[in-house]
């Protein structure tokens, strides 16, 4: 389905394989994500979600075809593109010995912010994400939910135009999950494109408007969430997911 | 510059919160340098100032054995304790009960053999003086007499080098006894009267005095001590010990999720590595300052000889700087190639001990032979130690250590290139 208007992500005829593996991870993959959308990428374990996320963020380089982010070619050496997006990996990607404020200072500087911008953004984010009281305490002493919020804060410190989120709410309580989802919805209202992946399909229904499901390196369905559910005659993403990917274990 | 400064701040904060890393980098080397210098200083004193206790069991009743004991006493190296002749078979237990490290059993025929040997030598000399025709008058020389072996017992704690010195000293005491007896016999045979005491002393004590003079680059004659030897050597070891913190830090960053995020940011990871290099370079300089300060201020307090800094302080700073840079580069290199923190710490610790061994920190490089001697040149610690010894022991100047600094610099650049290739190969930059 062709998307009219500006694209946040434009993947054309993309192919990728890991150097130490003969198996093709992706072959001739095409995917477009409109700017300003809340896009969900779903699939069973091993379907290629994280690999695709790493390709879109330039952590990995494509073997064939191209991936453009806001019209610019992504790649491992393309530091210009890196200014445009933020990344919230599934793992806690920060320095546990440092406090939230110290982490934000470091990652903010590496994202290209000035000292003043870092200070302002740190105050703002710690306030929004409820970390003001612990701003100077080492993150290693935090609960899982607090660490998730620090992880998210670092990803958005430089006000990225596109935000990649790899399971941003895994392992957190309902309160933290709700707070994170609400924050992401607010962020999207300011124009930030969200590229989100998760196994929490109920949560995805609340957050995403556009979705794609992938399995074995191929997109098996794609479109607006309501249209996709209607086209497959299902009422929930979970039903659709089981129907399209089967009930067998995935390793 | 701002990114670099913030990265340095981050590295300093992480370092200051790594209590184990700090203790490994600062406390352990300080303990090491104090302990090793104390031990080596005791060995120096044992050889140079203290006397070695020796038990002598004299089973002989002649005069030569008594003269031998007097000669051993006169050497000044031993505290002699005599034990009764019935304890010859149990000399080892007697040594233990008297806290003696050495024991000598003089055989019962010692004086007899010394006299016979002297007589034999005298007869030969007389025959030579008077020519073959007079050989009957002079007496026919008897076959050569050999002195029974003198058994010298030692405690195995004595190092081989010290044992050789002891053996040499005992040998010279024996030589004096033998020579004295030969002189007396020869004099009596030719003059038919006793050798005058004054002449005997003159003949025996005419040996030339040996003055031990240390060489130096500037002509000064400062006798090196255990501190001058050990403090520079273990400072180098301490600087390379940063691998325990820095190598692990690189691996931690690499394997943790933070590295993925760093790769998605518009900053090259080389900035991060440069930050680590600068941070830990300062750490190595602080290590050197602390250890040198302990040598200067603390050592005299605990009875150790003080460390004297070389006169060319700029050369000392430059050698320390390049050595620190090499240590930091090596640590980062190991961190880049290691896949886990265990690999980095294990390989790092073992490799620096090996580099210290082949670099001459544990065994002097001049004592090495063959391939070990060649391997010495690839250890950065060797070049740094040579430079330090030139400055600390020979009071050298910058011009005297430029060759060492150059070699150290080349090794460091090679390590940096290997690190860069490793980063490229592992897709980290």
């Amino acid at each position: 389905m062709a998307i009219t208007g500006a694209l946040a992500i434009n993947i054309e005829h993309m192919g990728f394989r890991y150097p130490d593996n003969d198996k093709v991870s992706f072959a001739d993959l095409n995917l477009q994500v409109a700017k300003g959308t809340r896009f969900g990428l779903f699939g069973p374990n091993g379907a290629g979600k994280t690999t695709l996320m790493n390709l879109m963020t330039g952590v990995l380089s494509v073997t064939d075809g191209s991936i453009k982010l806001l019209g610019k070619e992504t790649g491992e050496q393309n530091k210009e593109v890196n200014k445009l997006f933020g990344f919230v990996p599934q793992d806690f990607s920060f320095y546990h010995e440092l406090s939230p404020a110290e982490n934000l200072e470091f990652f903010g500087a590496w994202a290209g912010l000035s000292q003043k911008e870092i200070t302002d953004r740190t105050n703002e984010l710690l306030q929004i994400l409820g970390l003001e009281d612990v701003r100077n305490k080492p993150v290693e002493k935090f609960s899982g939910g607090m660490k998730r919020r620090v992880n998210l804060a670092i990803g958005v410190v430089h006000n990225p135009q596109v935000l990649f989120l790899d399971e941003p709410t895994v392992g957190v309580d309902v309160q933290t999950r709700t707070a994170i989802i609400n924050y992401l919805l607010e962020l999207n209202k300011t124009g930030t494109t969200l590229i989100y992946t998760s196994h929490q399909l109920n949560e995805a229904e609340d957050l995403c408007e556009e979705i794609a499901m992938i399995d074995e390196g191929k997109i098996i369905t794609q479109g607006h969430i309501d249209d996709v559910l209607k086209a497959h005659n299902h009422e929930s993403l979970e039903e659709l997911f089981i129907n399209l990917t089967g009930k067998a274990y995935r390793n | 510059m701002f990114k670099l400064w913030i990265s340095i701040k981050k590295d300093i904060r992480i370092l200051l919160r790594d209590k184990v890393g700090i203790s490994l980098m600062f406390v352990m080397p300080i303990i090491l340098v104090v302990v090793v210098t104390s031990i080596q200083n005791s060995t120096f004193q044992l050889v140079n100032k203290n006397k070695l206790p020796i038990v002598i069991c004299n089973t002989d009743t002649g005069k030569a054995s008594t003269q031998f004991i007097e000669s051993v006493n006169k050497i000044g190296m031993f505290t002699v304790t005599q034990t009764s002749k019935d304890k010859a078979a149990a000399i080892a237990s007697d040594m233990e009960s008297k806290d003696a490290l050495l024991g000598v059993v003089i055989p019962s025929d010692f004086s007899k053999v010394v006299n016979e040997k002297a007589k034999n030598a005298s007869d030969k000399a007389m025959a030579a003086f008077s020519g073959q025709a007079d050989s009957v008058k002079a007496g026919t020389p008897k076959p050569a007499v050999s002195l029974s072996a003198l058994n010298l017992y030692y405690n195995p704690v004595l190092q081989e080098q010290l044992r050789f010195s002891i053996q040499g000293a005992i040998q010279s005491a024996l030589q004096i006894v033998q020579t004295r007896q030969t002189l007396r016999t020869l004099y009596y045979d030719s003059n038919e009267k006793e050798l005058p005491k004054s002449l005997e002393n003159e003949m025996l004590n005419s040996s030339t005095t040996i003055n031990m003079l240390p060489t130096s680059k500037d002509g000064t004659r400062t006798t090196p001590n255990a501190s001058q030897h050990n403090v520079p050597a273990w400072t180098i070891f301490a600087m390379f010990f940063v691998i325990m913190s820095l190598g692990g830090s690189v691996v931690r960053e690499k394997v943790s999720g933070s590295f993925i995020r760093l790769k998605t940011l518009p900053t090259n990871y080389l900035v991060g590595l440069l930050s680590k290099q600068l941070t830990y370079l300062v750490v190595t300089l602080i290590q050197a300052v602390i250890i040198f300060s302990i040598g200067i201020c603390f050592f005299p307090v605990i009875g150790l000889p003080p460390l004297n800094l070389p006169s060319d302080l700029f050369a000392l700073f430059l050698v320390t700087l390049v050595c620190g840079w090499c240590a930091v580069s090596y640590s980062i290199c190991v961190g880049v190639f290691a896949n886990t923190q265990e690999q980095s710490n294990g390989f790092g610790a073992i490799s620096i001990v090996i580099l210290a061994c082949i670099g001459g920190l544990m065994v002097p490089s001049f004592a090495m032979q063959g391939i070990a001697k060649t391997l010495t040149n690839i250890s950065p610690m060797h070049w740094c130690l040579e430079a330090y010894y030139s400055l600390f022991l020979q009071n050298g100047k910058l011009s005297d250590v430029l060759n060492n600094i150059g070699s150290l610099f080349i090794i460091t650049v090679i390590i940096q290139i290997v690190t860069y290739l490793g980063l490229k190969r592992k897709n980290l930059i």
Side-chain angles (χ1 to χ4, degrees):
Chain A
M1 180 174 29
I3 295 174
T4 53
L7 293 176
I9 296 285
N10 186 13
I11 302 176
E12 290 181 312
H13 309 293
M14 192 270 285
F16 174 77
R17 77 172 69 188
Y18 284 101
D20 53 353
N21 194 342
D22 289 341
K23 193 181 162 192
V24 176
S25 297
F26 294 104
D28 199 28
L29 187 106
N30 293 286
L31 179 69
Q32 283 78 40
V33 178
K35 198 176 168 187
T37 334
R38 301 190 303 274
F39 180 83
L41 184 64
F42 307 104
N45 289 331
K49 298 186 300 293
T50 301
T51 301
L52 187 55
M53 197 73 103
N54 286 339
L55 286 162
M56 287 190 284
T57 54
V59 172
L60 295 171
S61 293
V62 298
T63 315
D64 300 306
S66 69
I67 299 179
K68 285 182 179 161
L69 192 143
L70 296 169
K72 293 183 178 174
E73 197 100 26
T74 63
E76 287 181 53
Q77 303 302 326
N78 197 343
K79 297 293 178 190
E80 277 304 305
V81 176
N82 292 6
K83 289 179 183 172
L84 304 174
F85 69 88
F87 184 33
V88 181
Q90 184 182 345
D91 294 330
F92 295 128
S93 305
F94 45 72
Y95 297 96
H96 293 249
E97 305 92 329
L98 302 181
S99 68
E102 289 164 347
N103 268 298
L104 285 167
E105 181 184 52
F106 172 71
F107 286 104
W110 272 51
L113 302 186
S114 67
Q115 184 65 66
K116 186 178 182 312
E117 287 169 326
I118 291 170
T119 308
D120 293 347
R121 218 33 206 141
T122 299
N123 292 338
E124 183 188 349
L125 284 169
L126 294 182
Q127 182 72 42
I128 293 169
L129 293 168
L131 296 165
E132 187 57 42
D133 294 345
V134 290
R135 62 178 293 144
N136 295 318
K137 292 191 174 156
V139 181
E140 62 196 355
K141 293 177 180 163
F142 287 10
S143 68
M146 290 161 82
K147 286 179 181 173
R148 281 278 157 224
R149 281 180 274 159
V150 174
N151 212 25
L152 176 62
I154 294 167
V156 298
V157 68
H158 57 301
N159 279 316
Q161 295 181 50
V162 179
L163 180 62
F164 293 93
L165 301 134
D166 191 358
E167 306 207 33
T169 59
V170 69
V172 300
D173 59 21
V174 178
Q175 286 84 352
T176 304
R177 180 178 298 146
T178 308
I180 288 175
I181 294 299
N182 287 341
Y183 174 70
L184 292 174
L185 289 169
E186 287 300 315
L187 198 65
N188 177 248
K189 282 180 189 168
T190 65
T192 307
T193 308
L194 304 180
I195 314 279
Y196 162 93
T197 175
S198 176
H199 290 291
Q200 309 285 337
L201 297 180
N202 295 335
E203 173 187 296
E205 284 173 14
D206 294 337
L207 183 67
C208 302
E209 41 190 359
E210 297 280 332
I211 63 158
M213 283 199 187
I214 62 169
D215 199 6
E216 294 177 348
K218 292 185 178 67
I219 294 176
I220 49 178
T221 188
Q222 181 188 354
H224 192 279
I225 189 164
D226 295 335
D227 297 340
V228 171
L229 289 173
K230 200 172 171 183
H232 291 85
N233 211 13
H234 286 291
E235 290 192 353
S236 72
L237 268 181
E238 206 159 296
E239 281 178 27
L240 174 68
F241 188 85
I242 291 290
N243 179 254
L244 293 179
T245 61
K247 289 184 178 176
Y249 284 121
R250 298 301 183 94
N251 295 319
Chain B
M1 279 306 281
F2 176 63
K3 288 177 183 177
L4 181 62
W5 168 236
I6 294 291
S7 303
I8 290 171
K9 267 171 80 177
K10 179 263 295 177
D11 283 325
I12 292 172
R13 282 168 175 154
I14 291 176
L15 178 66
L16 291 176
R17 286 162 204 181
D18 180 11
K19 303 283 183 268
V20 177
I22 287 177
S23 61
L24 279 171
M25 285 190 297
F26 288 97
V27 182
M28 291 295 283
I30 288 168
I31 293 172
L32 196 64
V33 79
V34 171
V35 169
V36 174
T37 309
S38 302
I39 292 169
Q40 200 133 75
N41 190 53
S42 329
T43 313
F44 273 15
Q45 291 200 332
L46 184 72
V47 177
N48 298 328
K49 294 179 183 172
N50 297 344
K51 291 183 177 182
L52 290 165
I54 185 169
V55 173
I56 297 181
C57 177
N58 188 2
T59 62
D60 180 39
T61 50
K63 285 182 181 173
S65 57
T66 314
Q67 286 166 8
F68 170 69
I69 295 168
E70 279 171 17
S71 295
V72 171
N73 253 322
K74 278 184 184 170
I75 291 169
M77 189 176 169
F78 307 103
T79 306
V80 178
T81 311
Q82 287 198 60
T83 186
S84 57
K85 61 175 69 175
D86 58 313
K87 291 199 173 163
I91 188 82
S93 57
D94 211 33
M95 279 165 60
E96 199 175 325
S97 66
K98 290 184 167 64
D99 282 334
L101 295 170
L102 298 156
V104 171
V105 176
I106 302 174
S108 56
D109 60 347
F110 180 80
S111 296
K112 185 182 155 215
V113 175
V114 167
N115 292 340
E116 278 179 15
K117 204 175 172 192
K119 181 66 183 153
N120 200 9
S122 171
D123 288 349
K124 278 184 187 170
M126 291 301 289
F129 292 158
S130 57
Q132 291 298 320
D134 295 334
S135 62
V136 176
K137 187 188 170 191
T140 308
K142 294 172 186 169
V145 181
S146 60
L147 191 62
S148 313
L150 197 73
N151 290 331
L152 175 63
Y153 298 87
Y154 65 89
N155 189 317
V157 296
L158 287 176
Q159 288 181 348
E160 193 176 25
Q161 214 173 348
L162 187 55
R163 289 206 307 271
F164 284 140
S165 304
I166 293 162
Q167 193 182 6
I170 299 288
Q171 191 72 50
S172 74
L174 268 178
Q175 196 65 47
I176 286 170
V177 172
Q178 187 66 58
T179 308
R180 178 183 284 126
Q181 195 55 37
T182 306
L183 280 173
R184 283 177 180 177
T185 310
L186 185 61
Y187 190 88
Y188 188 84
D189 286 350
S190 57
N191 300 307
E192 293 185 341
K193 61 178 180 183
E194 298 287 327
L195 173 68
K197 199 73 185 168
S198 57
L199 181 59
E200 181 185 299
N201 288 340
E202 195 181 328
M203 291 169 90
L204 285 172
N205 299 332
S206 62
S207 56
T208 309
T209 309
I210 299 168
N211 291 325
M212 295 284 281
L213 300 172
T215 59
S216 64
K217 305 279 185 193
D218 64 350
T220 54
R221 301 273 184 233
T222 311
T223 306
N225 54 45
S227 301
Q228 299 294 102
H229 272 278
N230 283 291
V231 174
W234 296 105
T235 303
I236 298 168
F237 194 70
M239 284 196 265
F240 275 81
F241 233 83
V242 294
I243 200 167
M244 302 306 286
S245 177
L246 178 54
S249 162
V250 174
V251 175
R252 261 201 319 274
E253 198 158 77
K254 219 172 56 175
V255 300
S256 77
S258 58
F259 194 77
I260 291 284
R261 200 191 301 259
L262 292 179
K263 283 194 78 172
T264 65
L265 293 170
T267 302
N268 198 306
Y269 185 60
L270 286 175
V271 174
L273 287 184
L274 182 61
S275 151
K276 285 187 197 301
Q277 289 206 26
L278 292 172
T279 305
Y280 280 84
L281 183 58
V282 172
V283 168
T284 59
L285 293 177
I286 294 171
Q287 283 178 313
V289 168
I290 290 175
I291 297 174
F292 289 162
S293 303
I294 286 173
I296 295 164
C297 306
F298 180 63
F299 275 17
V301 176
I302 58 169
L304 290 172
L307 177 76
N308 299 310
L309 287 182
S311 56
D312 193 342
L313 289 177
F314 177 70
L316 177 64
F317 170 74
L318 205 60
V319 171
T320 308
L321 188 75
V322 180
C323 181
W325 186 39
C326 186
V328 168
S329 305
Y330 181 69
S331 305
I332 290 177
C333 187
V334 170
V336 164
F337 281 94
N339 292 322
T340 63
Q341 217 168 325
E342 287 76 16
Q343 277 180 13
S344 167
N345 289 348
F347 178 81
I350 292 167
S351 66
I352 61 167
V353 170
I354 291 170
L355 287 176
C357 283
I358 62 172
L361 267 75
M362 296 177 183
V363 178
S365 48
F366 62 78
M368 293 179 189
Q369 299 293 324
I371 193 157
K373 186 94 179 164
T374 312
L375 283 174
T376 296
N377 296 323
I378 62 165
S379 170
M381 293 193 200
H382 164 71
W383 297 106
C384 191
L385 188 66
E386 290 286 305
Y388 269 162
Y389 277 173
S390 190
L391 295 173
F392 277 93
L393 299 177
Q394 296 182 294
N395 214 14
K397 304 283 177 218
L398 180 61
S399 55
D400 299 313
V401 295
L402 279 178
N403 181 36
N404 299 315
I405 292 175
S407 303
L408 201 55
F409 185 80
I410 290 168
I411 292 174
T412 307
V413 170
I414 291 170
I415 293 170
Q416 293 269 343
I417 292 169
V418 171
T419 305
Y420 181 78
L421 294 175
L423 285 165
K424 277 275 181 203
R425 186 165 166 259
K426 294 201 165 198
N427 208 20
L428 299 175
I429 54 170

